Amino acid sequence: MKNKNVLVIGGGSWGTCLSKLLLENGHNVYLWEHNEKVREVIRNTKENPQFLTNIKLPDNLNVVDDYGEVLENPEKYGKIDILLLATPTQFLRTILKRLKKFLNYNIILVNVAKGLEIASKKRISEMVAEELEHKEYSYVLLAGPTHAEEVAQKLPSAILSVSENEEAAKTVQTTFSNLYFRVYTGTDLMGAELAGALKNCLAIAAGIADGMGYGDNTKAALITRGINEMFEIAKYYNANPKTFMGLSGLGDIIVTCTSKHSRNRYVGEKLGQGEKIEDIISHMNMVSEGAETIKALYKIIKENNLKAPIFTALYEVIYEGKPVSELESTFMSRDLKSEFLN
């Protein structure tokens, strides 16, 4: 396989981790991070203590101050083959608007963010299609049960490269795969995007159960019934339910709802302990995608009369001041019925 030139936009934990992985796979990587101080620390120390602690980065990591310059000057930087978007969902449209003027050839866009845009309620691939209209690109989502902290330590992990363009998905598969990072391919982009967005919200609910001091029984039941609500939303979108049981669905649900590394589960845990969402978010280095996505999801549920009581209660607990016990009440006090009847 020919070595690739990769531009990574976003120097958070995942962008930094994947930059490290790609360099170790023999590719050439340019990393841009919007925070100038973080950029300088990475450039000078080859570490990113704010987002990926105790991980040494390769000496040949190129930290750049302007991603536009890299795309505009192929004679200096080489033609970029893959553009990796590692930017939180709610900030992505701003990046895409600027990117548009620099994309003048067919390129593979790999996105690793998971969420729905609050204002438009759109999935990330829809945002990309809007902002990069008339541009040539192949969109690939890289999603699955992978925490950057563990991938950076080379702990065995599996992930999904999903695209409506199978060749692009396979290119990403071969580019990112190695002995500890196994990449599968898929084509159900909408299902994978929905699963990735919704599981972040479910992880907050699971974290609330942790914060309230409930046990494994409670969390297992909550997650299972939450998955049932995810299926209801998938049905509304005509997404393939099989995707929700794969790496980007069930795999990611397991890791995000249970892991100490999960920022969404952490947010829920703090909510369960009585803290307010504004205070929790203000003390976090990284973004909780679920805390933003639930705003868009709540609109979708209400506007289309979908049956999703756990997600509905979650929004009301976070943003309407209802007590966290409301989630338990919603979950445990519904009418008794058969498990698989709505």
Side-chain angles (χ1 to χ4, degrees):
M1 180 191 67
K2 172 182 170 288
N3 289 348
K4 304 292 185 186
N5 285 329
V6 184
L7 173 59
V8 180
I9 297 182
S13 59
W14 207 207
T16 304
C17 168
L18 291 176
S19 296
K20 173 180 178 289
L21 179 147
L22 289 165
L23 285 164
E24 291 169 349
N25 282 6
H27 304 293
N28 185 38
V29 177
Y30 299 99
L31 173 64
W32 177 83
E33 157 60 30
H34 79 98
N35 186 310
E36 185 179 350
K37 290 181 179 178
V38 174
R39 281 203 308 269
E40 284 304 309
V41 169
I42 298 173
R43 180 182 286 126
N44 295 328
T45 68
K46 293 300 185 281
E47 291 184 5
N48 188 348
Q50 183 166 343
F51 295 113
L52 197 64
T53 57
N54 300 319
I55 296 296
K56 194 68 180 174
L57 304 173
D59 289 337
N60 58 336
L61 174 61
N62 299 298
V63 179
V64 297
D65 292 319
D66 182 3
Y67 57 82
E69 182 187 349
V70 176
L71 290 165
E72 275 189 315
N73 294 283
E75 66 287 345
K76 179 179 179 181
Y77 297 98
K79 185 179 179 182
I80 298 299
D81 303 296
I82 294 175
L83 203 163
L84 178 65
L85 298 170
T87 302
T89 305
Q90 310 308 324
F91 300 105
L92 194 51
R93 196 178 284 272
T94 302
I95 296 288
L96 292 169
K97 286 181 183 297
R98 183 166 188 257
L99 267 179
K100 186 172 185 176
K101 59 185 175 184
F102 301 117
L103 299 183
N104 299 311
Y105 58 89
N106 202 336
I107 195 169
I108 294 178
L109 291 181
V110 179
N111 168 54
V112 295
K114 301 165 187 173
L116 301 172
E117 188 179 36
I118 298 168
S120 68
K121 299 168 289 189
K122 291 184 175 177
R123 294 174 285 112
I124 293 174
S125 63
E126 294 176 304
M127 293 165 57
V128 172
E130 276 186 1
E131 295 299 336
L132 301 186
E133 190 179 11
H134 306 311
K135 293 293 182 179
E136 286 189 277
Y137 67 91
S138 296
Y139 179 87
V140 180
L141 172 67
L142 198 60
T146 46
H147 283 306
E149 295 85 351
E150 295 188 2
V151 174
Q153 295 175 48
K154 302 186 179 182
L155 300 181
S157 305
I159 200 167
L160 180 68
S161 168
V162 57
S163 178
E164 293 169 353
N165 181 333
E166 287 189 73
E167 286 306 309
K170 289 177 181 176
T171 298
V172 171
Q173 179 183 48
T174 55
T175 301
F176 284 80
S177 290
N178 58 32
L179 291 175
Y180 64 87
F181 197 71
R182 182 173 177 82
V183 184
Y184 291 84
T185 61
T187 56
D188 181 18
L189 178 60
M190 179 170 65
E193 283 189 302
L194 284 171
L198 300 182
K199 61 88 189 174
N200 283 332
C201 302
L202 184 55
I204 296 178
I208 288 175
D210 288 338
M212 294 178 72
Y214 292 126
D216 295 336
N217 292 358
T218 310
K219 189 154 76 167
L222 180 66
I223 292 170
T224 305
R225 296 309 299 167
I227 291 173
N228 188 64
E229 293 188 13
M230 289 174 66
F231 275 116
E232 285 298 306
I233 295 162
K235 192 188 302 180
Y236 167 75
Y237 280 97
N238 292 316
N240 185 350
K242 189 175 180 181
T243 302
F244 282 64
M245 300 309 293
L247 286 168
S248 63
L250 181 60
D252 217 352
I253 289 166
I254 292 170
V255 77
T256 311
C257 289
T258 63
S259 174
K260 64 184 179 182
H261 297 305
S262 169
R263 65 197 73 164
N264 291 290
R265 193 209 60 81
Y266 170 83
V267 167
E269 184 176 18
K270 292 299 180 184
L271 286 167
Q273 292 169 356
E275 294 189 29
K276 300 296 182 186
I277 190 67
E278 312 84 50
D279 297 328
I280 300 166
I281 298 299
S282 68
H283 289 96
M284 291 175 67
N285 276 336
M286 293 179 274
V287 172
S288 166
E289 291 275 31
E292 299 299 320
T293 294
I294 192 65
K295 296 176 185 176
L297 180 59
Y298 182 75
K299 292 178 187 176
I300 293 166
I301 290 167
K302 288 298 183 182
E303 289 170 6
N304 299 285
N305 198 28
L306 303 181
K307 293 180 179 178
I310 292 173
F311 287 128
T312 299
L314 179 64
Y315 174 86
E316 292 169 349
V317 166
I318 298 175
Y319 294 111
E320 293 187 351
K322 293 198 175 180
V324 288
S325 58
E326 187 80 14
L327 191 63
E328 176 199 357
S329 176
T330 299
F331 174 49
M332 295 300 291
S333 302
R334 299 184 69 210
D335 294 340
L336 298 176
K337 61 180 183 178
S338 171
E339 179 180 13
F340 295 113
L341 289 178
N342 290 326

